[in-house]
Coordinates of all heavy atoms in Angstrom, one line a residue:
M122 N -89.6 60.4 -47.4 CA -88.6 59.9 -46.5 C -88.7 58.3 -46.5 O -87.8 57.7 -46.4 CB -88.8 60.4 -45.1 CG -87.6 60.1 -44.2 SD -86.2 60.9 -44.7 CE -85.5 61.5 -43.1
T123 N -89.9 57.8 -46.6 CA -90.2 56.4 -46.8 C -89.5 55.8 -47.9 O -88.9 54.7 -47.9 CB -91.7 56.1 -46.8 OG1 -92.3 56.7 -45.7 CG2 -91.9 54.5 -46.8
V124 N -89.5 56.5 -49.1 CA -88.9 56.1 -50.3 C -87.4 55.9 -50.0 O -86.7 54.9 -50.5 CB -89.2 56.9 -51.4 CG1 -88.5 56.5 -52.7 CG2 -90.8 56.8 -51.7
L125 N -86.9 56.9 -49.4 CA -85.4 56.9 -49.1 C -85.1 55.7 -48.2 O -84.1 55.0 -48.5 CB -85.0 58.2 -48.4 CG -83.6 58.3 -48.0 CD1 -82.7 58.2 -49.2 CD2 -83.3 59.6 -47.2
L126 N -85.8 55.4 -47.1 CA -85.5 54.3 -46.3 C -85.7 52.9 -47.1 O -84.9 52.1 -46.9 CB -86.4 54.3 -45.1 CG -86.2 55.4 -44.2 CD1 -87.2 55.4 -43.1 CD2 -84.8 55.4 -43.5
I127 N -86.6 52.8 -48.0 CA -86.8 51.6 -48.7 C -85.6 51.4 -49.7 O -85.1 50.4 -49.8 CB -88.1 51.6 -49.5 CG1 -89.3 51.5 -48.6 CG2 -88.2 50.6 -50.6 CD1 -90.7 51.7 -49.2
C128 N -85.1 52.6 -50.3 CA -83.9 52.5 -51.1 C -82.7 52.0 -50.3 O -81.9 51.2 -50.8 CB -83.7 53.7 -51.8 SG -84.9 54.2 -53.1
L129 N -82.5 52.6 -49.1 CA -81.4 52.2 -48.3 C -81.5 50.7 -48.0 O -80.4 50.0 -48.0 CB -81.3 53.1 -47.1 CG -80.9 54.5 -47.3 CD1 -81.1 55.3 -45.9 CD2 -79.5 54.6 -47.8
L130 N -82.7 50.3 -47.6 CA -82.8 48.8 -47.2 C -82.5 48.0 -48.5 O -81.8 47.0 -48.3 CB -84.2 48.6 -46.7 CG -84.6 47.2 -46.3 CD1 -83.7 46.7 -45.2 CD2 -86.0 47.0 -46.0
F131 N -83.0 48.3 -49.6 CA -82.8 47.6 -50.8 C -81.2 47.6 -51.1 O -80.7 46.4 -51.4 CB -83.5 48.3 -52.0 CG -83.1 47.6 -53.3 CD1 -83.7 46.4 -53.7 CD2 -82.3 48.3 -54.2 CE1 -83.3 45.8 -54.9 CE2 -82.0 47.7 -55.4 CZ -82.5 46.5 -55.8
F132 N -80.5 48.6 -51.0 CA -79.1 48.6 -51.4 C -78.2 47.9 -50.4 O -77.3 47.1 -50.8 CB -78.5 50.1 -51.6 CG -79.0 50.7 -52.9 CD1 -79.7 51.9 -52.9 CD2 -78.6 50.1 -54.0 CE1 -80.1 52.4 -54.1 CE2 -79.0 50.8 -55.3 CZ -79.7 51.9 -55.3
N133 N -78.7 47.9 -49.2 CA -77.9 47.2 -48.1 C -78.2 45.8 -48.2 O -77.3 44.9 -48.1 CB -78.3 47.7 -46.7 CG -77.6 48.9 -46.3 OD1 -76.5 48.8 -45.9 ND2 -78.2 50.1 -46.5
L134 N -79.4 45.4 -48.6 CA -79.7 44.0 -48.8 C -79.0 43.4 -50.0 O -78.4 42.3 -50.0 CB -81.2 43.7 -49.0 CG -81.7 42.3 -49.1 CD1 -81.3 41.4 -47.8 CD2 -83.2 42.2 -49.3
L135 N -79.0 44.2 -51.0 CA -78.3 43.7 -52.3 C -76.8 43.6 -52.1 O -76.1 42.6 -52.6 CB -78.6 44.9 -53.4 CG -78.0 44.5 -54.8 CD1 -78.7 43.4 -55.4 CD2 -78.2 45.8 -55.7
C136 N -76.2 44.5 -51.3 CA -74.8 44.4 -51.0 C -74.5 43.2 -50.2 O -73.5 42.5 -50.5 CB -74.4 45.7 -50.2 SG -72.6 45.8 -49.9
F137 N -75.3 43.0 -49.1 CA -75.2 41.8 -48.4 C -75.2 40.5 -49.2 O -74.4 39.6 -49.1 CB -76.1 41.7 -47.2 CG -76.0 40.5 -46.3 CD1 -75.2 40.7 -45.2 CD2 -76.7 39.3 -46.5 CE1 -75.0 39.7 -44.3 CE2 -76.5 38.3 -45.6 CZ -75.7 38.4 -44.5
L138 N -76.2 40.4 -50.1 CA -76.3 39.2 -51.0 C -75.2 39.0 -52.0 O -74.8 37.9 -52.3 CB -77.7 39.2 -51.6 CG -78.9 39.2 -50.8 CD1 -80.2 39.4 -51.7 CD2 -78.9 37.8 -50.1
L139 N -74.6 40.1 -52.4 CA -73.5 40.2 -53.3 C -72.3 39.5 -52.6 O -71.6 38.7 -53.1 CB -73.2 41.4 -53.9 CG -72.3 41.5 -55.1 CD1 -73.0 40.7 -56.3 CD2 -72.2 43.0 -55.5
F140 N -72.1 40.0 -51.3 CA -71.0 39.4 -50.5 C -71.2 37.9 -50.2 O -70.3 37.1 -50.3 CB -70.9 40.2 -49.2 CG -70.0 41.5 -49.2 CD1 -70.4 42.6 -49.8 CD2 -68.8 41.4 -48.6 CE1 -69.7 43.7 -49.9 CE2 -68.0 42.6 -48.6 CZ -68.5 43.7 -49.2
A141 N -72.4 37.5 -50.0 CA -72.9 36.2 -49.7 C -72.6 35.3 -50.9 O -72.0 34.2 -50.8 CB -74.2 36.0 -49.2
L142 N -73.0 35.9 -52.1 CA -72.7 35.0 -53.3 C -71.2 35.0 -53.6 O -70.7 33.8 -53.9 CB -73.3 35.8 -54.5 CG -73.1 35.2 -55.9 CD1 -73.7 33.8 -56.0 CD2 -73.7 36.2 -57.0
D143 N -70.4 35.9 -53.3 CA -68.9 35.9 -53.4 C -68.3 34.9 -52.4 O -67.5 34.0 -52.8 CB -68.3 37.2 -53.3 CG -66.8 37.2 -53.6 OD1 -66.4 36.6 -54.6 OD2 -66.0 37.6 -52.8
K144 N -68.9 34.9 -51.2 CA -68.5 33.8 -50.2 C -68.7 32.5 -50.7 O -67.9 31.5 -50.6 CB -69.1 34.1 -48.9 CG -68.9 33.1 -47.8 CD -67.6 33.2 -47.2 CE -67.4 32.3 -46.0 NZ -66.3 32.5 -45.2
R145 N -69.9 32.3 -51.3 CA -70.3 30.9 -51.7 C -69.4 30.4 -52.9 O -69.0 29.3 -53.0 CB -71.8 30.9 -52.1 CG -72.3 29.6 -52.5 CD -73.8 29.6 -52.9 NE -74.3 28.3 -53.0 CZ -75.2 27.9 -52.3 NH1 -75.8 28.6 -51.3 NH2 -75.7 26.6 -52.4
K146 N -69.2 31.4 -53.8 CA -68.2 31.0 -54.9 C -66.9 30.7 -54.4 O -66.2 29.8 -55.0 CB -68.2 32.3 -55.9 CG -69.5 32.4 -56.7 CD -69.3 33.6 -57.7 CE -70.6 33.6 -58.6 NZ -70.2 33.7 -60.0
A147 N -66.4 31.4 -53.4 CA -65.1 31.1 -52.9 C -65.0 29.7 -52.2 O -64.1 29.0 -52.5 CB -64.7 32.2 -51.8
Q148 N -66.1 29.4 -51.6 CA -66.1 28.0 -50.9 C -66.2 26.9 -52.0 O -65.6 25.8 -51.8 CB -67.4 27.9 -50.1 CG -67.2 28.8 -48.8 CD -68.6 28.8 -48.0 OE1 -69.6 28.6 -48.6 NE2 -68.4 29.1 -46.7
R149 N -66.8 27.2 -53.1 CA -66.9 26.2 -54.2 C -65.8 26.2 -55.3 O -65.7 25.4 -56.1 CB -68.2 26.3 -54.9 CG -69.4 26.1 -54.1 CD -70.7 26.3 -54.8 NE -71.8 25.8 -54.0 CZ -73.0 25.7 -54.4 NH1 -73.3 26.1 -55.7 NH2 -74.0 25.4 -53.6
G150 N -64.8 27.1 -55.0 CA -63.7 27.3 -56.0 C -64.0 27.8 -57.3 O -63.4 27.6 -58.3
Q151 N -65.2 28.6 -57.4 CA -65.6 29.1 -58.6 C -65.0 30.5 -58.8 O -64.3 31.0 -58.0 CB -67.1 29.3 -58.6 CG -67.9 27.9 -58.5 CD -69.3 28.1 -58.4 OE1 -69.9 29.1 -58.0 NE2 -70.1 27.0 -58.8
R152 N -65.3 31.0 -60.0 CA -64.8 32.4 -60.4 C -65.5 33.4 -59.4 O -66.7 33.4 -59.3 CB -65.1 32.7 -61.8 CG -64.5 34.0 -62.3 CD -64.6 34.3 -63.7 NE -64.0 35.5 -64.1 CZ -64.0 36.0 -65.3 NH1 -64.5 35.3 -66.2 NH2 -63.5 37.1 -65.5
R153 N -64.6 34.3 -58.8 CA -65.1 35.2 -57.8 C -65.6 36.5 -58.3 O -65.3 36.8 -59.5 CB -64.0 35.5 -56.8 CG -63.3 34.2 -56.2 CD -64.0 33.7 -55.1 NE -64.2 34.7 -54.0 CZ -63.3 34.9 -53.1 NH1 -62.2 34.3 -53.1 NH2 -63.6 35.8 -52.1
I154 N -66.3 37.3 -57.5 CA -66.8 38.5 -57.8 C -65.6 39.5 -57.5 O -65.0 39.5 -56.4 CB -68.0 39.0 -57.0 CG1 -69.1 38.0 -57.4 CG2 -68.3 40.4 -57.2 CD1 -70.3 38.2 -56.5
P155 N -65.1 40.4 -58.5 CA -64.0 41.3 -58.2 C -64.2 42.2 -57.0 O -65.4 42.6 -56.7 CB -63.9 42.1 -59.4 CG -64.6 41.3 -60.5 CD -65.7 40.6 -59.8
E156 N -63.2 42.5 -56.2 CA -63.2 43.3 -55.0 C -63.9 44.6 -55.4 O -64.5 45.3 -54.7 CB -62.0 43.4 -54.3 CG -61.6 42.2 -53.5 CD -60.3 42.3 -52.7 OE1 -59.7 43.4 -52.8 OE2 -60.0 41.3 -52.1
K157 N -63.4 45.2 -56.6 CA -63.8 46.5 -57.1 C -65.4 46.5 -57.1 O -66.0 47.5 -56.7 CB -63.4 46.7 -58.4 CG -63.6 48.1 -58.9 CD -63.2 48.4 -60.3 CE -61.6 48.2 -60.4 NZ -61.1 48.6 -61.8
T158 N -66.0 45.4 -57.5 CA -67.5 45.3 -57.7 C -68.1 45.3 -56.2 O -69.1 45.9 -56.1 CB -67.9 44.0 -58.4 OG1 -67.2 44.0 -59.7 CG2 -69.4 43.9 -58.6
L159 N -67.5 44.6 -55.3 CA -68.0 44.7 -53.9 C -67.9 46.0 -53.4 O -68.9 46.5 -52.7 CB -67.3 43.6 -53.1 CG -67.3 42.2 -53.5 CD1 -66.4 41.3 -52.7 CD2 -68.8 41.8 -53.3
H160 N -66.8 46.8 -53.7 CA -66.7 48.2 -53.2 C -67.7 49.0 -53.9 O -68.3 49.9 -53.2 CB -65.4 48.7 -53.4 CG -64.3 48.1 -52.5 ND1 -64.5 48.0 -51.2 CD2 -63.1 47.5 -52.8 CE1 -63.4 47.4 -50.6 NE2 -62.6 47.1 -51.6
F161 N -68.0 48.9 -55.1 CA -69.0 49.7 -55.8 C -70.4 49.4 -55.2 O -71.3 50.2 -55.2 CB -69.0 49.5 -57.3 CG -68.0 50.3 -58.0 CD1 -67.0 49.7 -58.9 CD2 -67.9 51.6 -57.9 CE1 -66.1 50.4 -59.6 CE2 -67.0 52.4 -58.6 CZ -66.1 51.8 -59.4
A162 N -70.6 48.1 -54.8 CA -71.9 47.8 -54.2 C -72.1 48.4 -52.9 O -73.2 48.8 -52.4 CB -72.0 46.3 -54.1
T163 N -70.9 48.7 -52.2 CA -71.0 49.4 -50.9 C -71.2 50.9 -51.0 O -71.7 51.5 -50.1 CB -69.6 49.1 -50.2 OG1 -69.4 47.7 -50.2 CG2 -69.6 49.7 -48.8
L164 N -70.8 51.4 -52.1 CA -70.9 52.9 -52.3 C -72.3 53.5 -52.2 O -72.3 54.5 -51.5 CB -70.3 53.2 -53.7 CG -69.9 54.6 -53.9 CD1 -68.8 55.0 -52.9 CD2 -69.3 54.7 -55.4
P165 N -73.4 52.9 -52.6 CA -74.6 53.7 -52.5 C -75.3 53.5 -51.1 O -76.3 52.9 -51.0 CB -75.5 53.1 -53.6 CG -75.1 51.7 -53.7 CD -73.6 51.8 -53.5
A166 N -74.6 54.0 -50.1 CA -75.0 54.0 -48.7 C -75.3 52.6 -48.1 O -76.2 52.4 -47.4 CB -76.3 54.9 -48.5
A167 N -74.5 51.6 -48.6 CA -74.7 50.2 -48.3 C -73.6 49.7 -47.3 O -73.4 48.5 -47.2 CB -74.8 49.3 -49.4
A168 N -72.9 50.6 -46.7 CA -71.9 50.2 -45.7 C -72.4 49.2 -44.6 O -71.8 48.3 -44.3 CB -71.2 51.4 -45.1
P169 N -73.6 49.5 -44.0 CA -74.1 48.5 -43.1 C -74.3 47.1 -43.6 O -74.0 46.2 -42.9 CB -75.4 49.1 -42.6 CG -75.4 50.6 -42.9 CD -74.4 50.8 -44.1
G170 N -74.7 47.0 -44.8 CA -74.9 45.7 -45.5 C -73.5 45.1 -45.7 O -73.4 43.8 -45.5
A171 N -72.5 45.8 -46.0 CA -71.2 45.3 -46.2 C -70.6 44.8 -44.9 O -70.0 43.7 -44.9 CB -70.3 46.3 -46.9
W172 N -70.7 45.7 -43.9 CA -70.1 45.2 -42.6 C -70.9 44.1 -42.0 O -70.3 43.2 -41.3 CB -70.2 46.4 -41.6 CG -69.1 47.5 -41.9 CD1 -69.3 48.7 -42.3 CD2 -67.7 47.3 -41.8 NE1 -68.1 49.4 -42.6 CE2 -67.1 48.5 -42.1 CE3 -66.9 46.2 -41.3 CZ2 -65.8 48.7 -42.2 CZ3 -65.6 46.4 -41.4 CH2 -65.0 47.6 -41.8
A173 N -72.1 44.0 -42.3 CA -72.9 42.8 -41.7 C -72.4 41.5 -42.4 O -72.2 40.5 -41.8 CB -74.5 43.0 -42.0
A174 N -72.1 41.6 -43.7 CA -71.6 40.4 -44.5 C -70.2 40.1 -43.9 O -69.8 38.9 -43.8 CB -71.6 40.7 -46.0
I175 N -69.4 41.1 -43.8 CA -67.9 40.9 -43.4 C -68.0 40.2 -42.0 O -67.3 39.2 -41.7 CB -67.2 42.1 -43.3 CG1 -66.9 42.7 -44.7 CG2 -65.8 42.1 -42.5 CD1 -66.4 44.1 -44.9
L176 N -68.8 40.7 -41.0 CA -68.9 40.2 -39.7 C -69.6 38.9 -39.5 O -69.1 38.1 -38.8 CB -69.3 41.3 -38.7 CG -68.4 42.5 -38.7 CD1 -69.1 43.7 -37.8 CD2 -67.0 42.2 -38.3
L177 N -70.8 38.9 -40.2 CA -71.6 37.6 -40.0 C -71.2 36.4 -40.9 O -71.2 35.3 -40.4 CB -73.1 37.9 -40.3 CG -73.8 39.0 -39.4 CD1 -75.1 39.3 -39.9 CD2 -73.8 38.4 -37.9
L178 N -70.7 36.7 -42.0 CA -70.3 35.6 -42.9 C -68.8 35.3 -42.8 O -68.4 34.4 -43.5 CB -70.7 36.0 -44.4 CG -72.2 36.2 -44.7 CD1 -72.3 36.8 -46.1 CD2 -73.0 35.1 -44.4
H179 N -68.1 36.2 -42.2 CA -66.6 36.1 -42.0 C -66.1 36.1 -43.4 O -65.1 35.3 -43.7 CB -66.3 34.8 -41.3 CG -66.8 34.7 -39.9 ND1 -66.4 35.5 -38.9 CD2 -67.9 34.0 -39.5 CE1 -67.1 35.2 -37.8 NE2 -68.0 34.3 -38.1
H180 N -66.5 37.0 -44.2 CA -66.1 37.1 -45.6 C -65.2 38.4 -45.7 O -65.6 39.4 -45.4 CB -67.2 37.2 -46.6 CG -66.8 37.1 -48.0 ND1 -65.9 36.1 -48.4 CD2 -67.0 37.8 -49.1 CE1 -65.7 36.3 -49.8 NE2 -66.4 37.3 -50.2
K181 N -64.0 38.1 -46.2 CA -63.1 39.2 -46.5 C -62.6 39.9 -45.2 O -62.2 41.0 -45.1 CB -63.7 40.4 -47.3 CG -64.0 39.9 -48.8 CD -62.8 39.8 -49.6 CE -63.3 39.5 -51.0 NZ -62.2 39.2 -51.9
N182 N -62.8 39.1 -44.0 CA -62.4 39.7 -42.8 C -60.9 39.6 -42.4 O -60.5 40.3 -41.4 CB -63.2 39.0 -41.6 CG -63.0 37.5 -41.5 OD1 -62.4 36.9 -42.5 ND2 -63.4 36.9 -40.4
R183 N -60.1 39.0 -43.2 CA -58.7 38.9 -42.9 C -57.9 39.8 -43.9 O -56.7 40.0 -43.7 CB -58.2 37.5 -43.1 CG -58.8 36.6 -42.1 CD -58.1 35.2 -42.2 NE -58.9 34.3 -41.3 CZ -58.8 32.9 -41.4 NH1 -58.1 32.4 -42.4 NH2 -59.4 32.2 -40.6
K184 N -58.5 40.6 -44.8 CA -57.8 41.4 -45.7 C -57.9 42.9 -45.3 O -58.9 43.5 -45.3 CB -58.5 41.2 -47.1 CG -58.4 39.8 -47.7 CD -58.9 39.9 -49.1 CE -57.6 40.3 -49.9 NZ -58.0 40.2 -51.4
A185 N -56.7 43.3 -44.7 CA -56.6 44.6 -44.2 C -57.0 45.7 -45.2 O -57.6 46.7 -44.9 CB -55.3 44.9 -43.6
A186 N -56.5 45.4 -46.5 CA -56.7 46.4 -47.5 C -58.2 46.6 -47.8 O -58.7 47.7 -48.0 CB -56.0 46.1 -48.8
F187 N -58.9 45.4 -47.8 CA -60.3 45.5 -48.0 C -61.1 46.2 -46.9 O -62.0 47.1 -47.1 CB -60.9 44.0 -48.2 CG -62.3 44.1 -48.8 CD1 -62.5 44.0 -50.2 CD2 -63.4 44.0 -48.0 CE1 -63.8 44.0 -50.6 CE2 -64.6 44.0 -48.4 CZ -64.8 44.0 -49.8
W188 N -60.7 46.0 -45.7 CA -61.3 46.6 -44.5 C -61.0 48.1 -44.6 O -61.9 48.9 -44.3 CB -60.6 46.1 -43.2 CG -61.3 44.9 -42.7 CD1 -61.5 43.6 -43.3 CD2 -61.9 44.8 -41.4 NE1 -62.1 42.8 -42.4 CE2 -62.4 43.4 -41.3 CE3 -62.2 45.7 -40.4 CZ2 -63.1 43.0 -40.2 CZ3 -62.8 45.2 -39.2 CH2 -63.3 43.9 -39.1
S189 N -59.9 48.5 -44.9 CA -59.6 49.9 -45.0 C -60.4 50.7 -46.0 O -60.9 51.8 -45.8 CB -58.1 50.2 -45.1 OG -57.7 49.7 -46.4
I190 N -60.6 50.1 -47.1 CA -61.4 50.7 -48.2 C -62.9 50.8 -47.7 O -63.5 51.8 -47.9 CB -61.3 50.1 -49.6 CG1 -59.8 50.2 -50.0 CG2 -62.3 50.6 -50.5 CD1 -59.5 49.5 -51.3
T191 N -63.3 49.7 -47.1 CA -64.8 49.7 -46.6 C -64.9 50.7 -45.5 O -65.9 51.3 -45.4 CB -65.1 48.3 -46.1 OG1 -64.9 47.3 -47.2 CG2 -66.6 48.2 -45.7
L192 N -63.9 50.8 -44.6 CA -63.9 51.8 -43.5 C -64.0 53.2 -44.1 O -64.8 54.0 -43.7 CB -62.8 51.6 -42.6 CG -62.7 52.6 -41.4 CD1 -63.9 52.5 -40.6 CD2 -61.4 52.4 -40.6
L193 N -63.2 53.5 -45.1 CA -63.2 54.7 -45.8 C -64.5 55.1 -46.4 O -65.0 56.2 -46.3 CB -62.1 54.8 -47.0 CG -61.9 56.1 -47.7 CD1 -61.4 57.2 -46.7 CD2 -61.0 55.9 -48.8
L194 N -65.1 54.1 -47.1 CA -66.4 54.3 -47.6 C -67.5 54.5 -46.6 O -68.4 55.4 -46.7 CB -66.9 53.1 -48.5 CG -66.1 52.8 -49.8 CD1 -66.5 51.5 -50.4 CD2 -66.4 54.0 -50.7
T195 N -67.4 53.9 -45.5 CA -68.3 54.1 -44.3 C -68.2 55.5 -43.8 O -69.2 56.1 -43.5 CB -68.0 53.1 -43.2 OG1 -68.0 51.8 -43.7 CG2 -69.0 53.2 -42.1
L196 N -67.0 56.0 -43.6 CA -66.7 57.3 -43.1 C -67.2 58.4 -44.2 O -67.9 59.4 -43.7 CB -65.3 57.6 -42.9 CG -64.7 56.7 -41.7 CD1 -63.1 57.0 -41.6 CD2 -65.4 57.1 -40.3
L197 N -67.1 58.1 -45.4 CA -67.6 59.0 -46.5 C -69.1 59.0 -46.4 O -69.7 60.1 -46.4 CB -67.1 58.5 -47.8 CG -67.6 59.2 -49.0 CD1 -67.0 60.7 -49.0 CD2 -67.2 58.5 -50.3
Q198 N -69.7 57.9 -46.2 CA -71.2 57.8 -46.1 C -71.6 58.5 -44.9 O -72.7 59.3 -44.9 CB -71.7 56.4 -46.2 CG -71.5 55.7 -47.5 CD -71.8 54.2 -47.5 OE1 -72.5 53.7 -46.6 NE2 -71.2 53.5 -48.5
G199 N -71.0 58.4 -43.8 CA -71.3 59.1 -42.5 C -71.3 60.5 -42.6 O -72.2 61.3 -42.2
A200 N -70.2 61.0 -43.3 CA -70.1 62.4 -43.5 C -71.1 63.0 -44.4 O -71.7 64.1 -44.1 CB -68.7 62.7 -44.1
T201 N -71.4 62.3 -45.4 CA -72.5 62.7 -46.3 C -73.8 62.8 -45.6 O -74.6 63.8 -45.8 CB -72.6 61.7 -47.6 OG1 -71.3 61.6 -48.2 CG2 -73.7 62.2 -48.5
L202 N -74.2 61.8 -44.8 CA -75.4 61.8 -44.1 C -75.4 62.9 -43.1 O -76.3 63.7 -42.9 CB -75.6 60.5 -43.3 CG -76.9 60.4 -42.5 CD1 -78.1 60.5 -43.4 CD2 -76.8 59.0 -41.7
Y203 N -74.2 63.2 -42.4 CA -74.2 64.3 -41.4 C -74.5 65.6 -42.1 O -75.1 66.5 -41.5 CB -72.8 64.4 -40.8 CG -72.6 65.4 -39.8 CD1 -73.1 65.4 -38.6 CD2 -71.8 66.6 -40.2 CE1 -72.9 66.4 -37.7 CE2 -71.7 67.6 -39.4 CZ -72.2 67.6 -38.1 OH -72.1 68.6 -37.2
F204 N -73.8 65.8 -43.2 CA -74.1 67.2 -43.9 C -75.4 67.2 -44.7 O -75.9 68.4 -44.9 CB -72.9 67.5 -44.8 CG -71.6 67.8 -44.1 CD1 -70.5 66.9 -44.1 CD2 -71.5 69.0 -43.3 CE1 -69.4 67.2 -43.5 CE2 -70.4 69.3 -42.6 CZ -69.3 68.3 -42.7
A205 N -75.9 66.1 -45.0 CA -77.3 66.2 -45.7 C -78.4 66.1 -44.8 O -79.5 66.4 -45.2 CB -77.3 65.0 -46.7
W206 N -78.2 65.8 -43.6 CA -79.3 65.6 -42.6 C -80.2 66.8 -42.5 O -81.5 66.7 -42.5 CB -78.8 65.3 -41.2 CG -79.9 64.9 -40.3 CD1 -80.4 65.5 -39.3 CD2 -80.6 63.6 -40.4 NE1 -81.4 64.8 -38.7 CE2 -81.6 63.6 -39.4 CE3 -80.7 62.5 -41.3 CZ2 -82.5 62.6 -39.1 CZ3 -81.6 61.5 -41.0 CH2 -82.4 61.5 -40.0
P207 N -79.7 68.1 -42.4 CA -80.7 69.2 -42.3 C -81.5 69.3 -43.6 O -82.7 69.7 -43.5 CB -79.7 70.5 -42.2 CG -78.5 69.9 -41.7 CD -78.3 68.5 -42.2
Y208 N -81.0 69.0 -44.8 CA -81.8 69.1 -46.0 C -82.8 67.9 -46.1 O -83.9 68.1 -46.6 CB -80.9 69.0 -47.2 CG -79.8 70.2 -47.2 CD1 -78.5 70.0 -46.9 CD2 -80.3 71.4 -47.4 CE1 -77.6 71.0 -46.9 CE2 -79.4 72.5 -47.4 CZ -78.0 72.2 -47.1 OH -77.1 73.3 -47.1
L209 N -82.5 66.8 -45.5 CA -83.4 65.7 -45.5 C -84.5 66.0 -44.6 O -85.7 65.6 -44.8 CB -82.6 64.4 -45.1 CG -81.7 63.7 -46.1 CD1 -80.9 62.7 -45.5 CD2 -82.3 63.5 -47.4
Q210 N -84.3 66.6 -43.5 CA -85.3 66.9 -42.5 C -86.3 68.0 -43.1 O -87.6 67.9 -42.7 CB -84.8 67.5 -41.2 CG -84.1 66.4 -40.4 CD -83.6 66.9 -39.0 OE1 -83.2 68.1 -39.0 NE2 -83.6 66.1 -38.1
E211 N -85.9 68.8 -44.0 CA -86.8 69.8 -44.6 C -87.7 69.0 -45.5 O -88.9 69.5 -45.8 CB -85.9 70.8 -45.4 CG -85.2 71.7 -44.6 CD -84.4 72.7 -45.4 OE1 -84.5 72.8 -46.7 OE2 -83.6 73.4 -44.8
L212 N -87.4 67.9 -46.0 CA -88.3 67.1 -47.0 C -89.5 66.5 -46.2 O -90.4 66.2 -46.9 CB -87.5 66.0 -47.7 CG -86.3 66.5 -48.6 CD1 -85.6 65.4 -49.1 CD2 -87.0 67.3 -49.6
V213 N -89.3 66.3 -44.9 CA -90.4 65.6 -44.2 C -91.4 66.6 -43.8 O -91.4 67.7 -43.6 CB -89.8 65.0 -42.9 CG1 -90.9 64.4 -42.0 CG2 -88.7 64.0 -43.3

């Protein structure tokens, strides 16, 4: 279970840093990270990292389409965790 938590922390931190890098590139007028890449970074259970970046860095917070996809990914991750929880508890 510890390995799983370390992986989750790593993916969330990586996602947050990717959003922060895109925000910095936007401020400097440089070539941006594609939204598809940011969504793929959110996919491996990194929705908390994505939401932290959206809310704390105020990045992509005005784009309703981006929010809706991020919300969909969050709900998908929540449902996966809900249904996988009994199996994860057996591992402990």
Side-chain angles (χ1 to χ4, degrees):
M122 194 67 138
T123 305
V124 174
L125 178 64
L126 291 176
I127 290 171
C128 287
L129 287 174
L130 180 63
F131 172 76
F132 283 121
N133 278 281
L134 182 61
L135 185 68
C136 184
F137 183 87
L138 292 175
L139 198 61
F140 272 72
L142 177 63
D143 187 50
K144 172 79 174 190
R145 184 178 194 115
K146 287 181 174 225
Q148 291 170 335
R149 293 182 174 185
Q151 297 174 337
R152 187 173 178 178
R153 306 279 302 278
I154 297 170
E156 287 186 0
K157 187 186 298 187
T158 304
L159 296 174
H160 288 309
F161 278 125
T163 305
L164 200 55
W172 285 112
I175 290 170
L176 298 173
L177 294 174
L178 302 176
H179 304 286
H180 188 53
K181 302 283 187 187
N182 60 343
R183 294 184 187 164
K184 296 189 83 174
F187 193 87
W188 271 62
S189 62
I190 293 172
T191 305
L192 180 60
L193 180 67
L194 291 172
T195 304
L196 294 173
L197 178 66
Q198 290 171 25
T201 302
L202 180 63
Y203 176 78
F204 289 111
W206 189 253
Y208 301 106
L209 293 174
Q210 287 182 329
E211 289 176 9
L212 296 175
V213 176

